[in-house]
């Protein structure tokens, strides 16, 4: 099988050295991801495309390649093709009929030929010949040159004929790693997650900085979302996840800062902490999910003062987006259910917060803040590689994880419905409830208190997070099911 990935249009207008570098980066990214699943896959970069080859016609591998190409930044769209030596018009027609006869049965169609190289014919001539043959020798409803139900797409490159089996939309953007690295301040909510995705799509290797305000369960949840983002859109390069314990910082703000300025001061403290972490990592930009006027600390005057607390560039991909647009993007990228279940840890809630803070007043309030508290938080920061999150969560887990199911124990499969359908949990003799993680909160009260319930997910991360949250809420009959590796 063969796939041809077409480049994000902005890549094609770059200078020759930059374009060449980006194509090489895209080729390398695809190679790194695909080789993990199949050593026989070949990825080859060209001036205007990247080609992916795999011998045979394995349906599972085809699905994998399509999935990877759809979520790899730098690919505008890609086509699945059948490649043949270019023969005469009749051989092109015969091959096209074999590929398209069933697809155009009872439907209107139009033949479309893209041609590159030196040939003794024009593209419209071949279109008319193949189109006429398909009209006479198939059960198609006829030709419609304006609004066909099926496009019969052919590409010719020098002495090669490519019959297009299918066309898929890509992610667009620049290849990951083609731009400088950034440090994203991620809270686990819709905004920071979408902002992180957008910098990844734009080609920035995006590291994650989390200020923990809600304890172990909050941290596990944010790690799960960061891991999902990385695995889905950025796994061609390793990044870091940094946790800074911020509970004492919030406590100091509550004691030392006037309630009207707490929100702005908290954001400035996060920027200062982010700057120090970024300096250690030699990163020049911080990323946040702020949007103009979404909350009181995000008015233009307050954002200006927040920016003034750091010398780093502050990147705000969502700065003029509406909340509903942000939520819509989270649905598209698959983070909606994860973010929706994330508890809100706002840290401080100001009473009549200022929407137009003044620098003199702000500095006066901050002068009461004990800077040693912030330094202590930074000294306690934990740094791990993103791909080590699963092992880290499991090693620090407080909830008991069981590999066997005993009498009076019920498994709850908390995976999303499409995951359950794709890979059912086969446990003969065990009672299994299918309750997606985003529905657990509304159904946990209906569980029988005399039974133990073991939460299951494939990676063991979501199950650990939700079990911890439920136990912290008083449901002591909740544990984790982690099958033994065969």
């Amino acid at each position: 099988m063969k796939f041809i990935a077409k480049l994000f249009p902005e890549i094609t207008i770059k200078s020759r050295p930059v374009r060449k570098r980006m194509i090489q980066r895209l080729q390398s990214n695809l190679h790194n991801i695909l080789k993990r699943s199949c050593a026989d896959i070949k990825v080859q970069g060209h001036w205007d495309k990247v080609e992916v080859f795999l011998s045979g016609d394995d349906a599972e591998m085809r699905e994998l390649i399509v999935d990877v190409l759809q979520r790899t930044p730098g690919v505008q769209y890609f086509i699945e093709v059948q490649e043949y030596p270019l023969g005469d018009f009749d051989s092109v027609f015969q091959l096209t009929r074999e590929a398209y006869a069933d697809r155009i049965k009872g439907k209107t169609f139009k033949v479309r030929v893209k041609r590159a190289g030196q040939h003794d014919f024009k593209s419209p001539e071949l279109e008319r010949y193949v189109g006429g043959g398909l009209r006479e020798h198939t059960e198609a409803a006829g030709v419609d040159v304006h609004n066909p139900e099926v496009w019969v797409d052919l590409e010719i490159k020098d002495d090669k004929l490519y019959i297009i089996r299918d066309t898929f939309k890509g992610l667009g953007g620049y290849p990951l790693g083609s731009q400088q690295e950034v440090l994203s301040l991620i809270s686990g909510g819709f905004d920071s997650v979408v902002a992180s995705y957008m910098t990844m799509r734009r080609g920035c290797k995006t590291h994650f900085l989390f200020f923990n305000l809600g304890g172990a369960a909050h941290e596990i949840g944010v790690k799960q979302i960061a891991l999902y983002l990385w695995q889905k859109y950025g796994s061609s390069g390793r990044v870091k996840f940094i946790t800074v314990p911020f509970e004492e910082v919030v406590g100091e703000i509550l004691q030392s800062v006037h309630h009207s300025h707490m929100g702005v001061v908290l954001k400035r403290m996060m920027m200062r902490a982010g700057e120090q972490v970024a300096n250690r990592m030699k990163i020049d930009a911080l990323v946040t999910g702020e949007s103009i006027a979404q909350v009181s600390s995000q008015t233009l005057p307050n954002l200006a003062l927040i920016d003034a607390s750091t010398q780093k560039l502050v990147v705000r991909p969502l700065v003029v987006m509406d909340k509903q647009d942000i939520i819509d993007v989270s649905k598209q990228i698959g983070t909606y259910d994860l973010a929706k279940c994330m508890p809100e840890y706002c840290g401080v809630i100001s009473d009549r917060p200022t929407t137009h803070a003044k620098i003199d007043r702000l500095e006066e309030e901050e002068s009461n803040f004990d800077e040693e508290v912030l330094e202590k938080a930074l000294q306690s920061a934990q740094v791990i590689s993103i791909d080590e999150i699963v092992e880290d969560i499991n090693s620090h887990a407080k909830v008991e994880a069981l590999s066997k199911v005993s009498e009076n124990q019920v498994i709850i499969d908390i995976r999303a419905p499409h995951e359950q359908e794709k890979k059912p949990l086969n446990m003969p003799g065990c009672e299994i409830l299918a309750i997606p993680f985003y529905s657990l909160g509304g159904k946990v009260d209906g569980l029988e208190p005399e039974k133990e319930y073991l939460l299951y997910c494939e990676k063991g991360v979501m199950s650990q997070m939700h079990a911890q949250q439920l136990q912290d809420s008083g449901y002591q009959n909740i544990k984790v099911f982690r099958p033994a590796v065969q």
Side-chain angles (χ1 to χ4, degrees), residues 96-106 134 137-140:
T96 304
R97 181 177 64 173
E98 181 180 343
Y100 274 91
D102 291 337
R103 295 171 59 181
I104 64 176
K105 183 177 180 180
L134 293 176
H137 300 288
T138 68
E139 298 180 53

Side-chain angles (χ1 to χ4, degrees), residues 69 96 138 249 330 348 485:
L69 287 171
T96 304
T138 68
V249 174
S330 75
V348 294
V485 179

